[in-house]
Amino acid sequence: MKNASVKLVNMLDPEVEIETIANGSIILRSPRSIDSYPDSQSEWLIKWANQTPDRVFIADRASSDGSWRKLSYKEFLDQIQSIGQALLDRNLSRERPVAILSDNGIDNALLLFAAMHVGIPVVPISPAYSLMSKDFGKLRFIIKLVEPGLVFAQDGTKFSHALSSVEFGDAEIVVSTSPPDGIEVTSFDTLTSVSPRESVDEAFSKVGPDTVAKILFTSGSTGQPKGVINTQRMLCSNQVAMSQVWTFLKERPPVTVDWLPWNHTFGGNHNLNMMLCNGGTIYVDSGKPATGLIEQTVANLKEISPTIYYNVPRGYDMLLPYLEKDGELRQSFFGDMDILFYAAAALTQNAWERLEQQSELVIGKRVMMLAGWGATETAPDCTQVYWPIQKAGVIGLPIPGTELKLVPNEEKLEIRVRGPNVTPGYWKRDDLTEDAFDEDGFYCIGDAAKFEDQNNPKRGIIFDGRVSENFKLSSGTWVFVGGLRTEVVSASPNIIQDAVITGHDREALGLLIFPNVAGCRVLCRNLKEEVSLAELIQMGNVQDPLKAAIKNYNMDNPASSTRISRALMMEEPPSIDAGEITDKGYLNQRAVLTRRADLIDKLYSEDQSVIIFE
C-alpha cells in the first residue's frame, strides 16, 4: 500500500502573514482573528449539560470491579456545584487554593473544575513528586509556596508516605479511598454531598478572563519548579483558536482514551479541555508508556475506539509493537480514528511510518499525523498543524490570535510568543516574570524554529531545538542538539530509548545513552538466564548492532557537528528528583549533563566501557 491515500478530515487551508521588523526579526501571525471565547470554561460545561445532558463527559476505571465509571455532562455539572459550595464553605480562595497530588480520574476532574467554577485556583502537582521522589523536595517546595487550604489524594494509603512526611500546614487532607493510618482526613464524598446554595452562582458570576484558574508547575530541570499562572483567558482562548483551524472537531463529538497527566499542560489544558470545549468524551487511561502499565493502555484501547489520540513519542514507541501483532487492537484503535497527535518531543520518522502502515492495514488509508507546539506558559498551544504532512518535525503555523517573533540568535531563529494564551507571569516570583518577556511583550520561550520551505511559508515551521541546549565544539563549530538527538535515536530505536549529546568545548561529539531495555533484551533473548542491565549493555548482541547503526548514521552525517565519536550506556535511569526527566518521559539535556559530569569525563577517557564508533 505504498500509494495509499490519506484519510482527510476537514480543516482550514494553511495561511500565514509575515512581517520583517527593523532588527531582522520576523513576525508570524494568522490572518484570521480569533473568534469570541467565553469568560470561563464552566460556560462550556453548562452549555453541554443543557444541550446534551446524557452524553458521557468523563469515564474512569475507579469502580471496584474495574468497569467504567461514567459521568454525563449533567451529572458532572451537578457534582461540581456541590463541591464548589463545599470549597466556599471552607473559605478557600486565591490565598488558600486547592492542591491535587494524585493521578487523573473522575474525582480529580470534579475537584479541578469545581474549584475553577467558583474562582478558586487549583494546583495540580505531579504524582511523581509524592510517589517516585525519595526526598519529597519538590513537593515540599510547592506546598510552601502556594500554601493550599485543601490537599487531595485519590488513594490515601498510596500517598500516605508523602502525606505523613510533608508539612501541609492547616490544609485539610481529602481522600476518596483507603484513608491512611495515623492521618486525619476527610472523605471526598463529604464534598459531593453538600447542597449548592446561591453563593455558588454568585462566585461563578465573578469568574472572568483574568481569574487565575490553575497554577501549573514546570518540571524544575534548571532549579526549583516555577509556578506558571494559567488564567481563564488563556485556557478558553486557546481552545477556541484550535477549533477554528481544526474544524472537524465541530462535526462530531470527539472521543479520546488518554493517560497524559493533568498536572502538565499537554494533558490538562490541551487534551482534557479540548473534550470539554467540543462536547466530547474522555476515557481516563490508567495505563502509561512504561513496563507493566502499557498493558492497561492496550486493554482500554481494545475496548474504546477513539476518534482522536494524543501521545508523546515514547508512548507511540511502546504502543507500536502491540498494534503490529494484535489485529483486534489495531482494528479498535484505527477503526474510527480521525487524527493522531504527538507533542512534547520529536517523533522519529521510523515510528511515523510504522503507524501509517498499521492504519493502512485497517482502513486502507493513512490516518493523518498532526502536531503542535507550545509550553506551560502558553496554555499550551501556539502553533498547530492543520494540513496533511509527510514527515515528523513540522509543528505548524500560528493559531488565530497568537503571534510568533523569530529572533536571530547565533545561527538559529529563537521563537518568542505573544497572545491571549500567554501567561501573565509566575506565582509569587515577580523577578522571573520580568525576565521572561522582551521589550515588546513577547514571552521568551527558549525554543528555536526554521521554515520547512523558505520559499513557501505556508508549509509551516520546524522545531529546531532549545537555544539553551546548543553548544560549540572546541573548534568553534555550533552543535544544534534538538534535531541531532532525534536522528541519533532514530538510527537505533531498539537499543537507544533516549540520549544526551555531549561535546561542549571538546573535539568531538559523544552520547550518554539511556538504553531501550526491552529492545536490548530481545536482542539477547537466547540467554539462558536473566542478566543485569550492566551485563546486558556490554554484550556483543547489543553493542555490535549499535556500532553498525551509528556507523551508518555517521556515513550520512560526517560533519564534526553531527558525527558521533563515542558513547556510554547508562546503567542508572534518569532521576526525577534531579529534574533529569519528567513524568511524561521527556529527558532534559542540561540536567543530565550537570548531574552526570563525571560520566562525561569518563566518556572522553580511555575507559574500556566507552563505545568507540569508527
Side-chain angles (χ1 to χ4, degrees), residues 471 473 477-481 483-485 487-488 501 508-511 550 553-565:
F471 60 84
L473 296 170
T477 302
W478 274 102
V479 176
F480 302 118
V481 170
L484 179 57
R485 277 172 66 184
E487 291 185 28
V488 168
I501 310 295
L509 296 181
L511 297 177
I550 298 300
Y553 163 83
N554 283 339
M555 289 176 63
D556 295 330
N557 299 274
S560 63
S561 61
T562 56
R563 186 185 184 280
I564 305 300
S565 69

Side-chain angles (χ1 to χ4, degrees), residues 365-377:
K365 295 183 177 182
R366 291 178 282 128
V367 169
M368 291 179 65
M369 304 277 293
L370 301 179
W373 169 85
T376 307
E377 288 85 352

Side-chain angles (χ1 to χ4, degrees), residues 154-366:
Q154 173 82 23
D155 185 321
T157 300
K158 183 178 179 180
F159 284 82
S160 61
H161 191 194
L163 292 174
S164 62
S165 300
V166 175
E167 175 57 54
F168 292 98
D170 63 353
E172 181 179 8
I173 309 297
V174 176
V175 303
S176 296
T177 61
S178 305
D181 293 334
I183 301 174
E184 183 178 350
V185 297
T186 299
S187 171
F188 187 79
D189 292 341
T190 303
L191 306 183
T192 59
S193 63
V194 176
S195 297
R197 303 187 298 276
E198 290 183 2
S199 54
V200 171
D201 292 334
E202 291 174 3
F204 169 64
S205 69
K206 297 177 182 177
V207 176
D210 295 319
T211 300
V212 177
K214 300 178 183 178
I215 305 167
L216 289 179
F217 279 85
T218 61
S219 59
S221 57
T222 57
Q224 290 289 12
K226 295 182 292 186
V228 182
I229 297 170
N230 278 223
T231 64
Q232 291 284 353
R233 183 192 312 278
M234 293 169 62
L235 305 181
C236 294
S237 68
N238 207 227
Q239 288 299 328
V240 167
M242 286 190 287
S243 64
Q244 282 183 248
V245 295
W246 280 7
T247 55
F248 69 90
L249 289 171
K250 300 299 184 184
E251 295 171 0
R252 64 168 176 168
V255 175
T256 194
V257 179
D258 191 36
W259 70 271
L260 285 153
W262 296 339
N263 57 280
H264 282 287
T265 190
F266 186 5
N269 288 346
H270 188 280
N271 304 353
L272 178 61
N273 290 354
M274 187 173 284
M275 296 301 109
L276 175 61
C277 174
N278 298 285
T281 300
I282 181 167
Y283 288 85
V284 176
D285 178 14
S286 55
K288 289 182 180 179
T291 303
L293 293 173
I294 186 65
E295 294 82 3
Q296 182 61 58
T297 293
V298 169
N300 291 335
L301 289 171
K302 289 177 78 167
E303 188 173 341
I304 307 296
S305 295
T307 64
I308 182 170
Y309 189 69
Y310 317 93
N311 217 326
V312 295
R314 176 178 171 80
Y316 283 115
D317 286 341
M318 294 200 71
L319 184 59
L320 264 165
Y322 293 90
L323 289 170
E324 291 168 336
K325 68 183 180 183
D326 188 333
E328 181 185 354
L329 170 65
R330 188 164 56 240
Q331 180 64 47
S332 178
F333 185 72
F334 287 107
D336 204 28
M337 189 74 72
D338 284 332
I339 67 160
L340 298 178
F341 183 89
Y342 75 92
L347 186 69
T348 65
Q349 192 61 27
N350 174 267
W352 178 289
E353 292 172 359
R354 289 166 66 194
L355 285 164
E356 287 186 331
Q357 291 167 3
Q358 296 309 302
S359 71
E360 290 168 16
L361 290 174
V362 175
I363 62 174
K365 295 183 177 182
R366 291 178 282 128

Side-chain angles (χ1 to χ4, degrees), residues 403-470:
E403 295 178 292
L404 303 186
K405 179 161 66 170
L406 304 184
V407 180
N409 185 332
E410 300 297 344
E411 299 179 29
K412 294 277 188 174
L413 289 174
E414 176 193 341
I415 319 175
R416 300 179 184 178
V417 188
R418 184 170 65 185
N421 57 323
V422 176
T423 182
Y426 297 99
W427 190 254
K428 297 182 181 179
R429 290 299 305 270
D430 292 342
D431 55 330
L432 295 177
T433 300
E434 184 177 351
D435 292 342
F437 295 87
D438 71 10
E439 65 280 2
D440 297 317
F442 282 83
Y443 170 64
C444 302
I445 202 167
D447 289 346
K450 60 184 177 182
F451 288 100
E452 160 72 357
D453 183 344
Q454 193 71 38
N455 297 317
N456 185 5
K458 290 183 180 180
R459 293 188 63 183
I461 59 175
I462 294 176
F463 176 72
D464 202 20
R466 294 280 297 171
V467 173
S468 61
E469 290 182 344
N470 300 329

